[in-house]
Amino acid sequence: MKRILITNDDGFESPGLHALVEALRPLGHVTVVAPTLEKSACGHSLTLTRPLRFVEIDDDFFKLDDGTPTDCVYLSKYALFDERRPPDLVVSGINKGANMGEDITYSGTAAGAMEAVLQGIPGVAISQVCRNRCQNIDELGFELAKEAAYTICKKILEDGFPLGERKFLNINIPPVPPKECNGYKITKAGYRLYGNDAHMHRNPRGEEYYWLGLHPLEWIPDERMLCDFEAIKADCISITPVQLDLTSHGDIEKLEGWL
């Protein structure tokens, strides 16, 4: 039986996590290790300054108190699996909200898949896009995301992972029901537009504090319609191959000349 490790960055109680577990259980033995608290935008971070503890919630379902998605994958491989037989697949999600463009670098969801491929395990990150800030993810549901997760993970487990070392699949699901989806599209990561959405407030003692808000889902248009943002706009499921090598290889010779 295939062994699947599931994690996320929305915490162990997230409806998206439980939807993913339900979708993938028919494919193999599922183990869940998720953060105790929401870790959105934690990036690919490890916890090095305090101890971590597995807390068993149910059979093969643990929360990591108080870890990141990276911690969950890193520790699970060594603490919960036989060294000779690691998981066959790590799936991170289903995230509440998009992880497209440069947001991949912020994303704890993507980080779970990043850590998987660093450990030599195929990794997939899945995120459910919301149409706007007002759209309730619980009303939208996860049916399309569940269908996509099952289909793609089944193909990986049966036919093999389609990417090389230190590469993972970043999947974003459009905010539509399954019957309105226009299929799958292989995409590149787009260029997101960023602003500053920091809000200053004062506590009862007059001391300043800040809340960081969410940016509108805006991007630089892709004329060839090949990026993840454009795929979601067209109500397609976006599948982006992501590599961990961040080197700008095309600039090495130019930089040598400049120096």
Side-chain angles (χ1 to χ4, degrees):
M1 181 178 288
K2 298 294 186 180
R3 292 148 62 95
I4 304 168
L5 174 62
I6 292 177
T7 191
N8 76 342
D9 74 352
D10 289 322
F12 74 102
E13 296 179 306
S14 168
L17 176 74
H18 291 270
L20 183 60
V21 171
E22 182 181 345
L24 299 188
R25 273 216 169 108
L27 297 178
H29 184 90
V30 171
T31 300
V32 179
V33 181
T36 300
L37 303 174
E38 182 178 342
K39 294 291 181 177
S40 295
C42 69
H44 190 204
S45 59
L46 279 170
T47 301
L48 303 178
T49 57
R50 61 182 183 275
L52 298 166
R53 183 170 65 100
F54 289 96
V55 179
E56 188 170 9
I57 304 300
D58 203 345
D59 292 342
D60 295 308
F61 193 117
F62 302 86
K63 65 178 182 179
L64 192 63
D65 194 15
D66 172 35
T68 66
T70 303
D71 293 326
C72 291
V73 175
Y74 180 89
L75 287 176
S76 295
K77 180 183 177 183
Y78 297 100
L80 301 180
F81 291 87
D82 188 319
E83 185 176 345
R84 294 167 297 180
R85 193 183 172 195
D88 296 289
L89 177 63
V90 172
V91 188
S92 185
I94 300 166
N95 186 66
K96 297 183 293 184
N99 277 307
M100 299 186 288
E102 294 87 351
D103 278 359
I104 295 170
T105 63
Y106 288 116
S107 169
T109 303
M114 287 182 192
E115 187 60 29
V117 298
L118 281 180
Q119 298 293 332
I121 306 167
V124 177
I126 303 180
S127 302
Q128 174 62 63
V129 182
C130 294
R131 195 167 297 282
N132 52 55
R133 295 186 188 183
C134 299
Q135 186 173 28
N136 188 321
I137 192 106
D138 296 323
E139 294 176 3
L140 172 64
F142 296 97
E143 289 308 308
L144 180 57
K146 289 167 62 178
E147 289 185 13
Y150 176 85
T151 300
I152 293 166
C153 292
K154 183 174 187 290
K155 186 167 181 61
I156 290 171
L157 294 171
E158 292 180 351
D159 299 339
F161 196 56
L163 304 180
E165 293 183 354
R166 303 197 177 198
K167 298 177 182 179
F168 69 94
L169 295 177
N170 186 50
I171 301 170
N172 282 273
I173 309 297
V176 296
K179 64 181 180 180
E180 296 180 19
C181 177
N182 291 322
Y184 295 85
K185 190 168 186 179
I186 307 303
T187 60
K188 66 177 184 178
Y191 298 126
R192 184 165 181 182
L193 294 173
Y194 290 93
N196 189 318
D197 197 21
H199 301 269
M200 192 274 283
H201 302 272
R202 293 185 184 275
N203 67 18
R205 297 183 179 181
E207 298 168 327
E208 292 182 3
Y209 66 93
Y210 290 84
W211 273 105
L212 299 184
L214 296 174
H215 302 284
L217 203 59
E218 298 176 350
W219 64 95
I220 297 174
D222 177 10
E223 294 181 0
R224 298 179 63 193
M225 307 292 285
L226 294 177
C227 79
D228 42 14
F229 294 101
E230 300 290 351
I232 293 299
K233 182 180 178 182
D235 291 336
C236 294
I237 295 168
S238 167
I239 304 179
T240 305
V242 179
Q243 63 181 14
L244 270 61
D245 180 1
L246 301 180
T247 307
S248 178
H249 291 277
D251 289 313
I252 289 178
E253 186 175 341
K254 177 183 177 182
L255 190 56
E256 287 176 341
W258 173 82
L259 188 61

